Amino acid sequence: MKKKFSFLLLLGIVLISLTTACSKKNSKPKTNPEPSASSLINANFKTSFANGHFTQSLNSDEMNQKSKSEGLFKDKGDVTNLTYTLTQKKKSQTEQMWLTKKDMYLLLEQNKGHWIKNSINADTFDSDQVKERFDPATFKSINKAFANKATVQKKNGNYVVSFDGTDTKLWNAVNPLVIDAMNTPGSQNMQVARLVKLAQLQNLNVTYLIDPTTKKVESMTFKARYTAGGKYNFTWNLTYDQLGQHSDLAVPDNIQKDAISAEDIKKAQEEQQQNQK
């Protein structure tokens, strides 16, 4: 009888211990997993990218060349402000540009402080090549490839979606942005396009900062190191930030008012040539 009682007592202690252990296990707070990269990137991408600020740089020591551009954009680039500087062998040239749906305002160093107004359907200028980098549709394939490889972390109250490596699919998706960086604004060079597509990628880093409450993208950064033509090393950086902060972007009134028409310049030159005959 005493042995039976001892056995029941031991059994009771074991059951109590198991129940307590299960209770402690169940009482641990559950941690919610971070949302997927795809859900964060695609939640409000189009509305996030409606307007903003950008900076871009491209350097090659072997070519002794570097370029830098900076500006503002809205409505898929239908309104764009761009300052572009190209430096070759320590000699720099800067141009400023405003684009609208119909017109281009250009300020070159040789313009002596005067803005020149021209139609964007001019044969010598392709506005789409400038505007493409501000169109959400351009990032459809980029975002898809990025989401498949990116990791998600929460830092300083924001979601950081990032990738750092040499993924071929993501690099191919990013190629159009790199090609635009290597071309002069408004021009397309098929040789440059082939050069980029055949380039050897050394490293690619892509980072999106996303607000956890609104799910809006606050900034996007692209960084790459690659070798083109077998001997030219390039460093490329592109950042979009201040997203959603430039909805009132417009060509300044004084530029619209004082700009000299390219057509008027052309007519004046033709008249001068006629008078010289």
Side-chain angles (χ1 to χ4, degrees):
M1 185 68 179
K2 287 183 179 181
K3 290 182 179 180
K4 184 176 180 182
F5 176 81
S6 299
F7 177 76
L8 291 175
L9 180 61
L10 179 61
L11 180 61
I13 293 172
V14 171
L15 289 175
I16 291 171
S17 299
L18 290 174
T19 303
T20 304
C22 290
S23 178
K24 287 182 179 180
K25 185 177 180 180
N26 292 334
S27 65
K28 289 183 179 180
K30 294 182 178 180
T31 56
N32 294 323
E34 302 294 4
S36 68
S38 180
S39 66
L40 288 171
I41 293 169
N42 297 313
N44 283 310
F45 186 83
K46 289 183 178 179
T47 55
S48 300
F49 209 64
N51 58 76
H53 169 265
F54 81 100
T55 56
Q56 181 171 248
S57 65
L58 180 70
N59 300 327
S60 174
D61 292 337
E62 289 79 9
M63 295 186 71
N64 199 4
Q65 179 175 306
K66 60 182 179 180
S67 65
K68 182 180 179 180
S69 57
E70 182 175 7
L72 303 170
F73 65 92
K74 79 168 188 177
D75 299 336
K76 300 180 181 179
D78 281 343
V79 181
T80 299
N81 172 233
L82 173 69
T83 298
Y84 175 80
T85 300
L86 176 64
T87 302
Q88 292 178 302
K89 297 180 180 180
K90 297 183 179 180
K91 184 178 180 180
S92 297
Q93 183 174 349
T94 298
E95 63 182 62
Q96 296 182 55
M97 181 187 302
W98 277 95
L99 291 178
T100 67
K101 287 184 177 181
K102 296 181 180 180
D103 300 310
M104 172 183 67
Y105 298 84
L106 190 63
L107 180 64
L108 303 176
E109 292 177 359
Q110 58 265 36
N111 290 0
K112 298 179 180 180
H114 297 292
W115 286 87
I116 305 299
K117 178 182 177 181
N118 201 0
S119 171
I120 63 170
N121 60 9
D123 294 335
T124 56
F125 183 77
D126 180 9
S127 63
D128 289 339
Q129 194 257 329
V130 173
K131 294 179 179 181
E132 185 179 24
R133 71 194 74 176
F134 309 122
D135 188 345
T138 300
F139 293 84
K140 185 176 181 180
S141 59
I142 294 175
N143 290 344
K144 183 178 180 180
F146 179 38
N148 287 335
K149 294 293 181 177
T151 59
V152 177
Q153 291 181 301
K154 200 167 186 180
K155 293 183 179 180
N156 300 322
N158 290 299
Y159 283 119
V160 179
V161 185
S162 62
F163 169 81
D164 190 11
T166 56
D167 185 68
T168 301
K169 287 185 178 180
L170 181 54
W171 172 241
N172 289 339
V174 170
N175 271 186
L177 296 178
V178 181
I179 292 169
D180 284 349
M182 293 185 70
N183 280 322
T184 301
S187 67
Q188 290 180 322
N189 187 325
M190 296 307 296
Q191 188 173 0
V192 169
R194 287 193 292 269
L195 198 68
V196 173
K197 290 179 179 179
L198 294 174
Q200 292 79 48
L201 176 65
Q202 307 301 326
N203 185 258
L204 175 63
N205 181 285
V206 182
T207 303
Y208 288 11
L209 189 66
I210 300 175
D211 185 285
T213 303
T214 64
K215 297 299 188 293
K216 285 191 174 182
V217 182
E218 295 190 341
S219 67
M220 303 157 58
T221 303
F222 300 84
K223 298 179 181 180
R225 289 183 289 104
Y226 59 96
T227 302
K231 57 181 179 179
Y232 301 111
N233 295 310
F234 289 89
T235 301
W236 169 67
N237 294 277
L238 171 62
T239 297
Y240 297 93
D241 55 13
Q242 300 175 22
L243 298 180
Q245 299 180 28
H246 297 280
S247 59
D248 58 349
L249 183 66
V251 181
D253 291 339
N254 65 309
I255 294 178
Q256 296 186 58
K257 180 182 177 182
D258 300 334
I260 303 171
S261 171
E263 288 295 324
D264 291 343
I265 295 175
K266 183 178 179 181
K267 288 178 182 179
Q269 291 174 340
E270 291 174 349
E271 290 177 359
Q272 185 177 10
Q273 291 174 355
Q274 289 293 329
N275 293 332
Q276 291 175 348
K277 289 181 179 181

